C-alpha cells in the first residue's frame, strides 16, 4: 500500500474515532426516557369467523409503574420500594382485560416518586422528555405513560389519576387523557395513593382509540348515543388560566353552536355555584378571602384534596416509610414523613364536601350536560423551575383538578394545538357515571372542534401559532426531540417540514445536517451546511459540521478551511482548533496547492 493511501486511511480512522467519541459523550434518552422496563404481554389468538375480532386488535399500550404485572416488581417510582418488595404474583385485572381485548402491552413507564408529584420529574429513573416541549416538564404523576403516547411509541397507555396524574400530563404533552368516574374502572392491582381519589385513566393520541379502550374498560351496558343539551363554560375557572380565554374557549363555543345550536351554550360562575350548593365547604373557606367567594371556594376544594390525599397516603405507606427510611425527594418527603393530625370530625367534613359536590355537579350537568374548564392553569413550566414548589402554583393547579377528584365526576382532556409554541388543551366534564356519554360527545365534537380551531387560529392576528414561522419552530422542536432519542430519520423528517415552512432560517438546515452526519450521509450534510452558511455567515456550528462532512468525503483542503474559519469566528473553540491542527499535520495545505 502506498504511503499517501495509508495516510488517507489513517485520517479517515481518526475522524471516525473523533465522531464516535462525540457520540459517546452525548446523554441521549432512549424512547424519550418514558420506560422503566420493556416486555411483551401478547393477546390471545383471534376468534374464528363469523365472530368479531378482538376490539383492540393491532393496538399497543404501556402501563405506569403503579400497575402489577405478574413476575415483575411494581417499582412505584422509587428504588427503595422496588428493593423491598417482591414481584407481583398476579396481573392487574385492567391490564389483563386490555390484553384479552386484543392489545399488546409493551412495558412499564416512569411515574413521579411514589406517584406523589405533579411535575413528572423523577431523580431516580430520569424525567421523561416532553416530545412537544423538550425543555418543559411532562407533568405527573404518570409522566412516562403520557410521553410514550405523545412520542407515538404506543397507541395508548394506562395511568392512575389521583389529583391530576392523568389529566395534567395529557395537558402538558398535548394528547387526549380520560379520567373516568370514581369507581367506574377497577383499581385492583395498583399501588394505592389515596383511595378516595384513585382512578384508573388512560391516554391516547386519537379520540377513537380513547373510545375503544373505554368500550373495554367501562362496566355495564352501553346506552343510546345522546347529544349534549347543555354545554356550560365555567368562566371563573378560565380566569385562573395564563392562556388567553379566547384561545381555549372559542373553538368549543363555535363547534357547539354548529353541532347543537346556540341555545345549548351556557355560562356559569362555578365558584359561586359551588359555594351555594356545598354548605359543608364553609368550614374550610379561608378567613382571608375578602368576600371573593369564587376564589375561596375553588381554593378550599384544592386544600381539602391535598389534606385528604396526604392523610390517606400516610395511612397506606407510613409504616413502610418509617421502617425503610427511603431517600425521598425533599418536596415529597416534607409531605409524607409525618402523619397529619386529623380528627374524626375533619374526616366527616371531608366526606360531606365530597358528597355535596358530587350532588351539586350532577344537578348542574344532569344526564346530558358537559362542563368546560381549562385542563391546567399554565403552559408546562421549565424543568426544575422554582414555581413547581410554590404554594400559589400548586393551589391554582389543584383548584382545577379538585373538581373531578373530589366529586368523582368523569373528565376528558382535549388537545387544542399550541399557543406560543406550547401545548394547550381544554377539558370536558360530565356527571358521575356519565362516562360513555362524555366519550361519545368527544367523538361527536372532535372533527368540528379541529375545524373551528383552525378557523379561529386563522382569524387571530395576535396568536403566534398562526404563522408559518411558529409552525416551523414546532416542527424544529419535534426534530430536536427525535434527535435526542437517536431517531435520525424521524428528526430529518421534522427538520424538512420546518424548512418547507420557513426556508430562511439557518438553524433548520444546520440541525438537519447534524442528523445526516449521524447517518453518514455526508453529501447531504455538506449541502445543508452550505445553505446554513449562506443564510448566516457567522454560524460556527455549520462550519464545524461542514468541515466534518468534507473530511469524511476526502475534501481535506476544504475541511481545513472550514475548521480554521470557525476558529476565526470563535477563537476559543477547542473542537475547531483540534480538528484544524490534526488535519494540517496529516495533510499540509501545501500538498493541495
Amino acid at each position: 500500500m502506498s504511503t499517501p493511501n495509508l495516510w488517507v486511511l489513517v485520517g479517515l480512522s481518526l475522524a471516525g474515532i473523533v465522531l464516535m467519541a462525540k457520540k459517546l459523550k452525548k446523554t441521549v434518552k432512549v424512547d424519550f426516557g418514558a420506560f422503566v422496563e420493556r416486555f411483551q404481554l401478547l393477546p390471545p389468538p383471534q376468534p374464528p369467523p363469523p365472530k368479531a375480532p378482538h376490539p383492540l386488535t393491532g393496538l399497543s399500550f404501556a402501563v405506569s409503574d403503579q400497575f402489577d404485572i405478574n413476575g415483575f416488581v411494581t417499582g412505584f417510582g422509587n428504588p427503595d420500594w422496588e428493593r423491598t418488595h417482591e414481584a407481583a404474583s398476579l396481573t392487574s385485572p385492567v391490564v389483563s382485560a386490555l390484553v384479552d381485548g386484543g392489545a399488546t402491552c409493551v412495558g412499564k413507564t416512569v411515574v413521579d416518586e411514589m406517584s406523589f408529584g405533579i411535575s413528572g420529574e423523577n431523580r431516580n429513573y430520569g424525567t421523561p422528555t416532553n416530545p412537544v416541549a423538550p425543555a418543559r416538564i411532562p407533568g405527573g404523576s404518570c409522566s412516562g405513560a403520557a410521553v410514550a403516547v405523545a412520542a407515538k411509541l404506543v397507541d395508548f397507555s394506562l395511568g392512575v389519576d389521583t389529583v391530576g396524574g392523568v389529566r395534567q400530563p395529557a395537558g402538558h404533552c398535548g394528547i387526549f387523557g380520560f379520567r373516568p368516574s370514581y369507581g367506574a374502572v377497577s383499581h385492583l392491582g395498583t399501588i394505592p395513593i389515596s383511595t378516595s381519589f384513585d382512578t384508573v385513566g388512560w391516554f391516547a393520541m386519537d379520540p377513537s382509540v380513547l373510545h375503544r379502550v373505554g368500550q373495554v374498560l367501562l362496566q355495564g351496558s352501553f346506552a343510546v348515543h345522546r347529544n349534549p343539551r347543555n354545554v356550560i363554560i365555567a368562566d371563573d375557572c378560565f380566569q385562573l388560566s395564563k392562556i388567553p380565554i379566547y384561545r381555549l374557549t372559542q373553538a368549543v363555543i363555535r363547534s357547539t353552536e354548529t353541532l347543537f345550536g346556540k341555545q345549548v351554550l351556557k355560562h356559569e360562575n362555578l365558584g359561586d355555584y359551588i359555594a351555594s350548593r356545598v354548605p359543608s365547604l364553609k368550614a374550610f373557606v379561608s378567613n382571608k378571602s375578602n368576600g371573593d367567594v369564587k376564589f375561596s371556594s375553588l381554593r378550599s376544594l384544592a386544600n381539602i384534596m391535598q389534606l385528604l390525599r396526604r392523610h390517606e397516603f400516610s395511612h397506606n405507606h407510613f409504616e413502610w416509610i418509617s421502617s425503610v427510611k427511603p431517600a425521598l425527594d425533599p418536596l415529597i418527603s416534607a409531605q409524607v414523613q409525618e402523619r397529619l393530625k386529623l380528627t374524626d370530625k375533619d374526616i366527616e367534613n371531608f366526606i360531606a364536601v365530597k358528597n355535596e359536590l358530587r350532588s351539586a355537579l350532577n344537578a348542574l350537568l344532569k344526564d346530558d350536560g358537559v362542563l368546560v374548564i381549562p385542563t391546567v392553569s399554565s403552559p408546562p413550566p421549565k424543568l426544575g423551575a422554582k414555581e413547581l414548589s410554590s404554594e400559589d402554583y400548586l393551589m391554582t393547579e389543584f383548584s382545577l383538578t379538585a373538581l373531578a377528584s373530589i366529586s368523582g365526576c368523569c373528565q376528558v382532556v382535549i388537545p387544542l394545538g399550541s399557543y406560543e409554541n406550547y401545548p394547550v388543551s381544554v377539558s370536558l366534564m360530565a356527571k358521575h357515571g356519565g362516562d360513555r356519554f362524555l366519550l361519545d360527545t368527544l367523538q361527536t365534537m372532535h372533527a368540528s372542534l379541529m375545524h373551528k380551531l383552525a378557523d379561529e387560529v386563522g382569524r387571530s392576528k395576535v396568536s403566534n401559532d398562526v404563522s408559518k414561522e411558529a409552525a416551523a419552530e414546532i416542527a424544529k422542536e419535534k426534530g430536536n426531540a427525535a434527535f435526542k432519542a437517536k431517531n435520525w430519520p424521524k428528526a430529518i423528517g421534522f427538520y424538512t417540514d420546518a424548512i418547507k415552512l420557513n426556508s430562511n432560517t439557518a438553524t433548520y438546515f444546520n440541525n438537519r445536517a447534524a442528523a445526516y452526519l449521524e447517518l453518514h450521509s455526508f453529501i447531504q450534510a455538506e449541502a445543508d451546511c452550505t445553505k446554513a452558511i449562506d443564510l448566516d455567515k457567522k454560524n460556527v456550528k455549520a462550519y464545524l459540521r461542514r468541515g466534518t462532512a468534507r473530511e469524511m468525503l476526502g475534501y481535506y483542503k476544504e475541511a481545513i478551511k472550514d475548521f480554521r474559519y470557525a476558529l476565526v469566528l470563535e477563537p476559543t473553540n477547542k473542537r475547531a482548533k483540534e480538528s484544524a491542527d490534526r488535519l494540517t499535520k496529516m495533510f499540509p495545505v501545501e500538498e493541495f496547492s
Side-chain angles (χ1 to χ4, degrees), residues 354-375:
K354 287 179 58 181
N355 293 336
E356 290 168 8
L357 182 63
R358 180 181 297 183
S359 296
L361 291 180
N362 282 356
L364 176 68
L365 299 173
K366 301 182 174 63
D367 290 332
D368 49 15
V370 293
L371 180 69
V372 186
I373 63 171
T375 304

Side-chain angles (χ1 to χ4, degrees), residues 118-119 137 139-140 163-164 167-169 171-172 240-242 298-299 301-303 305-306 373-381 387-388 390-405 411:
I118 68 168
S119 69
I137 65 167
V163 297
R167 291 164 289 167
Q168 285 186 313
H172 287 329
L240 298 174
S241 175
K242 294 180 181 179
L298 297 176
R299 197 175 182 91
L301 287 176
N303 190 46
M305 182 179 71
Q306 287 194 87
I373 63 171
T375 304
V376 290
S377 67
S378 67
E387 68 179 293
L388 291 169
S390 74
E391 182 71 9
D392 185 62
Y393 171 77
L394 293 173
M395 291 299 284
T396 304
E397 290 295 303
F398 288 153
S399 292
L400 295 172
T401 62
L403 292 168
S405 290
Q411 180 175 338

